[in-house]
Amino acid sequence: MTEDDELFAEIAAQAEKAEANNPQAMDLHGLASVLGRKFEHRSVEEIEQKLKEVWRAKGLFWHS
């Protein structure tokens, strides 16, 4: 599994958790910062953008 595969799997897992807690909005910048420490091959901004893409696709709420 590549680092990106691991990152995307973690993003998907976080989205599933967010769905379970819906309609609470998540702090995606904070989450991206945490994930950025584990997945250093991507910038926090790149991770935050991917989180937003997944959250939009699932109809979830967030704040930055």
Side-chain angles (χ1 to χ4, degrees):
M1 183 178 272
T2 69
E3 288 180 325
D4 276 341
D5 291 338
E6 290 179 35
L7 171 59
F8 298 147
E10 183 65 30
I11 289 172
Q14 292 295 326
E16 288 178 21
K17 289 178 186 177
E19 282 182 307
N21 293 327
N22 205 13
Q24 295 178 353
M26 291 202 51
D27 175 7
L28 292 190
H29 182 73
L31 180 54
S33 294
V34 170
L35 292 176
R37 285 185 225 120
K38 182 176 180 182
F39 299 99
E40 295 178 346
H41 71 287
R42 294 287 182 173
S43 71
V44 170
E45 292 78 17
E46 289 175 311
I47 294 171
E48 186 173 358
Q49 185 60 35
K50 185 62 178 174
L51 286 165
K52 287 178 180 179
E53 290 172 14
V54 172
W55 259 241
R56 266 189 214 103
K58 293 184 170 283
L60 299 170
F61 301 98
W62 75 87
H63 57 87
S64 295

